[in-house]
């Protein structure tokens, strides 16, 4: 059975932005994009830097440290210096809140 | 390839500088327009300097014309190659990558090598043996200055790196900063670049003059100007410090200098927040002003003081500069202990 956990209110994340959310000792990045809300691991796969201050362009997150880019809908690593994909998590919106399915 | 888990990359966080998060996001916002305007102005300037060379061909005046053209060619090519390696020059990604390739061709560095080594430079800014973009040994002496500013040191490194990549004979530093899975791409790209350089050489040998007058000789003549800009980013500053304020220098410069160098005279600001594009660096500077040291004096004065310091160091005289910032251990008299060897 899917373990849905409430992360935040939908209005806690600005449009074209993200927040970091800590849960059970893990960091998650939750994005509000023009295609909806998405969630990934919160640390870049390149040098494990928090994505929090990164720039969201469409559905792409750019790591603030070295500019590595990921597609947030799939987690795919798009360009150097990142090569390893980000893990993604299913998201649902219910009653004005963002829920993540955490394994 | 990765920094140790406990290592804090050299940036705003490791320096203790902060900015409101929403303000940072606003400053880091991407757009194509400033980059396109910059390129339009750059190409217009190159067209003017090319015309001057064309007018001067056959006379002694061709040499100053090629020098001016070389400065206009080399400094912005370096600056654009740097900005696009960060991916901050344009919002449109293919445009960013196309300009990275074109300007890296002029800069003579394989584009992904440019990006990965610069990535490493931001992680380990001015850390001996770790920063893959330390172009000279520190503390610098006059011999090191000559090697750097003449362009011979960088040219030797770039040519050797290109040949090694093309031959798939990677150095330990290449293996350190580039993921194993990416190395074949660097090899493919280096071979393509070498083929294009060979084509240019072939044209010259065949008797076609334009690559020599408009590209090769100006590239050689303009390199020192480019290197005087890059030299003062970190020279005389503190090695092995987590603080960008200690390792890096910002300096004032003229409107022309800011244009040619794409505002990278705000070098501390750039290292603190590398996600901020070139056109927003003056605003970032204003935002952080109270947390930063005063920028060093203008481009020429800073360079003259550096030259004076390295000359005096080679002569065994006292090395305190008149006004530019220096790390405490750079100031003294007599024999200096070598802190860092060059890594490029």
């Amino acid at each position: 059975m899917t373990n849905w956990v409430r992360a935040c209110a939908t209005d806690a994340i600005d449009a074209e932005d993200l927040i970091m959310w800590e849960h059970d000792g893990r960091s998650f990045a939750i994005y509000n994009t023009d295609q909806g809300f998405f969630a990934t691991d919160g640390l870049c796969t390149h040098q494990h830097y928090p994505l929090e201050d990164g720039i969201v362009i469409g559905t792409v997150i750019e790591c603030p440290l070295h500019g590595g880019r990921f597609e947030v809908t799939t987690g795919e690593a798009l360009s150097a210096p990142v090569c390893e994909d980000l893990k993604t998590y299913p998201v649902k919106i219910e009653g004005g809140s963002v829920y993540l399915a955490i394994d | 390839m990765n920094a140790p888990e406990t290592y804090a990359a050299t940036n705003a966080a490791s320096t203790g500088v902060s900015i409101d998060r929403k303000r940072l996001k606003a400053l880091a916002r991407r757009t194509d327009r400033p980059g396109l305007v910059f390129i339009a102005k750059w190409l217009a300037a190159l067209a003017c300097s090319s015309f001057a060379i064309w007018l001067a061909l056959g006379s002694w005046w061709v040499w100053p014309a090629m020098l001016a053209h070389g400065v206009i060619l080399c400094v912005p090519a370096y600056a654009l190659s740097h900005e696009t390696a960060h991916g901050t020059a344009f919002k449109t990604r293919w445009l960013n990558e196309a300009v990275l390739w074109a300007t890296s061709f002029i800069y003579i560095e394989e584009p992904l090598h440019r990006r990965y080594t610069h990535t490493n430079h931001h992680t380990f800014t001015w850390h001996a043996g770790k920063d893959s973009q330390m172009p000279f040994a520190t503390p610098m002496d006059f011999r090191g200055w000559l090697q750097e500013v003449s362009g011979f040191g960088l040219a030797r490194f770039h040519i050797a790196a290109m040949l090694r990549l093309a031959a798939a004979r990677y150095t330990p530093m290449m293996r350190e900063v580039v993921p194993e899975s990416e190395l074949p791409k660097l090899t493919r790209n280096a071979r393509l670049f070498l083929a294009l350089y060979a084509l240019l050489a072939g044209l010259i040998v065949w008797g076609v003059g334009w690559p020599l007058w408009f590209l090769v000789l100006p590239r050689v003549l303009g390199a020192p100007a480019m290197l005087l800009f890059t030299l003062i980013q970190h020279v005389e500053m503190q090695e092995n410090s987590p603080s960008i304020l200690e390792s890096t220098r910002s300096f004032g410069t003229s409107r022309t200098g800011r244009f040619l160098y794409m505002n990278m005279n705000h070098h501390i600001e750039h290292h603190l927040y590398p996600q901020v594009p070139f056109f927003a660096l003056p605003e970032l500077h204003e935002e952080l002003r109270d947390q930063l040291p005063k920028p060093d004096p203008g481009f020429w004065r800073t360079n003259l003081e550096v030259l004076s310091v390295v000359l005096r160091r080679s002569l065994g005289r006292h090395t305190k500069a008149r006004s530019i910032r220096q790390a405490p251990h750079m100031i003294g008299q007599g024999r200096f202990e070598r802190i860092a060897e060059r890594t490029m």
Side-chain angles (χ1 to χ4, degrees):
Chain A
M1 190 174 154
T2 307
N3 179 28
W4 290 102
V5 181
R6 183 185 182 280
C8 61
T10 51
D11 60 10
I13 317 174
D14 291 342
E16 266 209 300
D17 202 0
L18 75 152
I19 63 163
M20 290 289 275
W21 177 60
E22 306 290 330
H23 177 72
D24 209 13
R26 294 161 68 186
S27 293
F28 300 88
I30 308 173
Y31 310 87
N32 179 5
T33 76
D34 52 11
Q35 289 185 33
F37 289 83
F38 298 93
T40 69
D41 273 339
L43 303 179
C44 180
T45 57
H46 174 225
Q47 289 186 340
H48 312 293
Y49 197 76
L51 294 168
E52 186 172 18
D53 287 334
I55 303 299
V56 177
I57 304 171
T59 55
V60 172
I61 174 67
E62 186 184 284
C63 176
L65 187 59
H66 297 127
R69 296 157 65 249
F70 300 93
E71 169 62 46
V72 301
T73 59
T74 61
E76 182 188 359
L78 295 176
S79 62
V82 295
C83 303
E84 190 184 326
D85 294 349
L86 269 180
K87 186 172 169 50
T88 58
Y89 299 89
V91 169
K92 73 173 181 181
I93 306 299
E94 229 172 62
S97 292
V98 182
Y99 290 81
L100 267 62
I102 297 170
D103 44 31
Chain B
M1 182 192 79
N2 286 344
E5 294 279 346
T6 52
Y7 180 78
T10 42
N11 59 10
S14 71
T15 305
V17 168
S18 62
I19 184 173
D20 174 72
R21 186 171 175 274
K22 280 190 192 285
R23 183 68 182 132
L24 176 62
K25 294 264 177 176
L27 288 170
R29 197 171 293 279
R30 303 294 152 74
T31 167
D32 288 338
R33 194 169 183 279
L36 289 172
V37 168
F38 177 84
I39 286 183
K41 288 180 180 173
W42 184 38
L43 292 178
L46 284 172
C48 291
S49 55
S50 298
F51 185 60
I53 293 174
W54 182 74
L55 285 177
L57 276 175
S59 79
W60 184 87
W61 285 101
V62 76
W63 290 97
M66 283 194 299
L67 173 63
H69 181 70
V71 172
I72 296 168
L73 178 73
C74 290
V75 183
Y78 162 80
L80 264 174
S81 164
H82 168 258
E83 191 75 21
T84 51
H86 277 284
T88 45
F90 302 99
K91 184 176 183 180
T92 304
R93 193 63 188 182
W94 69 261
L95 192 54
N96 192 83
E97 298 307 284
V99 174
L100 169 66
W101 273 68
T103 51
S104 296
F105 182 78
I106 298 169
Y107 186 56
I108 318 180
E109 185 168 9
E110 190 285 318
L112 289 176
H113 187 264
R114 177 95 176 95
R115 180 166 281 155
Y116 278 110
T117 52
H118 196 63
T119 291
N120 168 272
H121 171 62
H122 273 268
T123 307
F124 297 108
T125 302
W126 224 235
H127 276 60
K130 292 179 178 173
D131 182 344
S132 61
Q133 289 191 327
M134 290 188 87
F136 47 82
T138 70
M140 180 181 247
D141 57 16
F142 183 61
R143 188 177 169 192
W145 184 91
L146 267 184
Q147 199 173 43
E148 171 66 5
V149 171
S150 65
F152 288 121
L154 186 65
R156 192 175 62 181
F157 170 78
H158 277 169
I159 292 166
M162 194 75 77
L163 291 172
R164 277 188 165 273
L165 287 173
R169 294 181 61 182
Y170 311 117
T171 63
M173 186 59 95
M174 287 170 179
R175 291 190 182 279
E176 177 71 20
V177 304
V178 182
E180 188 75 25
S181 62
E182 292 280 282
L183 286 168
K185 290 184 195 169
L186 276 71
T187 292
R188 178 201 63 197
N189 299 346
R191 288 173 181 169
L192 178 63
F193 268 34
L194 284 176
L196 291 171
Y197 293 132
L199 180 66
L200 281 176
L203 284 171
I204 293 166
V205 171
W206 192 256
V208 178
W210 67 261
L212 191 63
W213 305 120
F214 296 100
L215 203 55
V216 177
L217 289 174
R219 173 66 180 79
V220 174
L221 294 171
M226 171 183 85
L227 291 161
L228 287 174
F229 273 103
T230 58
L231 169 71
I232 56 179
Q233 295 172 349
H234 302 284
V235 70
E236 293 296 307
M237 302 305 291
Q238 181 70 51
E239 307 89 343
N240 306 326
S241 169
S243 170
I244 293 297
L245 305 188
E246 293 179 357
S247 66
T248 307
R249 169 183 293 105
S250 286
F251 56 95
T253 187
S254 66
R255 192 173 164 184
T256 306
R258 290 197 300 275
F259 170 73
L260 293 172
Y261 196 36
M262 296 181 80
N263 290 330
M264 232 12 91
N265 55 301
H266 296 300
H267 211 64
I268 290 176
E269 295 85 332
H270 166 66
H271 267 273
L272 292 171
Y273 296 106
Q275 68 268 50
V276 174
F278 71 99
F279 54 84
L281 285 176
E283 278 183 86
L284 178 64
H285 168 73
E286 289 305 321
E287 201 71 42
L288 300 176
R289 183 190 284 269
D290 294 342
Q291 301 177 68
L292 306 182
K294 191 177 168 212
D296 274 349
F299 166 80
W300 290 110
R301 182 160 163 191
T302 302
N303 263 296
L304 283 172
E305 287 197 25
V306 168
L307 176 58
S308 167
V309 164
V310 299
L311 267 172
R312 280 183 277 137
R313 184 171 288 129
S314 287
L315 294 170
R317 296 185 185 167
H318 205 275
T319 58
K320 173 86 177 77
R322 183 169 291 183
S323 61
I324 64 170
R325 296 169 62 228
Q326 287 175 288
H329 72 90
M330 295 288 178
I331 301 167
Q333 192 164 9
R335 195 172 170 78
F336 278 79
E337 185 192 347
R338 178 64 53 87
I339 304 293
E341 296 296 338
R342 57 183 298 170
T343 55
M344 63 183 293

